Amino acid sequence: MRTYRIYGADAKEATTALLKDAGVFGVLDLTAEGGSHEEFAEAVTDARVAIVRKAALAWLVRRKPEVALSLFSAFSERVRQTDEVLGSLLQREVAGRLAALLLSLRGKFGEEGEGDEIGTVTIGLRLTHQQLASMIASTREAVSKAMTDLRREGLIEVRGRMIVLVDLPGLAERAEGGPGA
């Protein structure tokens, strides 16, 4: 599940999170009723979505405090991810931000290679250049160029619209602003 916000006069999308397996999204404020939503969600893989009404959630939290702890943990992880994304956007060029994003996606959606592919990681999502751009506060054109640069440097490959990380140390170095930057 991809969550995003709309910003600017030209209604650009900015991805706020990619969720996997029992991810939680929505409004954290249990006191507000109704109102407009500032965050949207889009399935990027097969997904099941459940809506939980605030009254039902409040009832459950009063009876089972461990639910509150689980929700607190989930939303704390979202805040941590947001801080990580903001930190990665500062003082980096597009290819470095893209490299950092790909390494982050590795942690959630990475599938380790086997056999001749040991040492590689396939990102288990089909992401467009526009979706990648919205995740790193960039443009589709700049991401397309950065993808070409990372492929040319032998850090990634694209196979069947899936991104394969083939040189993890090199990609980490690029994410830190090293060679090629």
Side-chain angles (χ1 to χ4, degrees), residues 2-22:
R2 174 180 84 100
T3 62
Y4 63 95
R5 291 180 182 247
I6 305 295
Y7 69 95
D10 51 355
K12 290 195 180 261
E13 291 181 8
T15 298
T16 54
L18 285 175
L19 307 174
K20 183 179 179 184
D21 299 339

Side-chain angles (χ1 to χ4, degrees), residues 14-152:
T15 298
T16 54
L18 285 175
L19 307 174
K20 183 179 179 184
D21 299 339
V24 176
F25 65 93
V27 179
L28 182 59
D29 185 0
L30 291 176
T31 62
E33 290 296 330
S36 63
H37 298 281
E38 295 178 7
E39 189 172 51
F40 302 90
E42 169 187 48
V44 293
T45 62
D46 290 341
R48 268 189 156 157
V49 178
I51 297 171
V52 180
R53 303 275 180 227
K54 290 179 186 177
L57 182 60
W59 177 87
L60 183 60
V61 164
R62 282 198 270 318
R63 280 154 188 76
K64 295 190 175 263
E66 63 271 18
V67 170
L69 290 173
S70 292
L71 283 172
F72 181 74
S73 176
F75 280 109
S76 294
E77 175 62 15
R78 289 280 308 279
V79 169
R80 188 198 63 72
Q81 287 176 4
T82 300
D83 288 347
E84 185 179 286
V85 167
L86 289 174
S88 76
L89 293 177
L90 300 174
Q91 305 293 323
R92 277 202 197 139
E93 42 81 42
V94 173
R97 295 193 321 246
L98 181 59
L101 172 65
L102 294 174
L103 290 170
S104 176
L105 292 174
R106 170 192 179 215
K108 276 190 174 181
F109 301 99
E111 300 166 5
E112 300 289 328
E114 298 176 357
D116 291 341
E117 298 292 316
I118 288 178
T120 67
V121 176
T122 300
I123 304 300
L125 292 174
R126 292 176 188 247
L127 297 167
T128 66
H129 288 192
Q130 183 60 56
Q131 289 169 321
L132 292 168
S134 76
M135 291 179 214
I136 62 169
S138 188
T139 63
R140 182 195 54 76
E141 296 82 4
V143 165
S144 294
K145 181 186 179 312
M147 288 285 289
T148 298
D149 291 347
L150 295 176
R151 278 197 308 263
R152 190 177 305 125

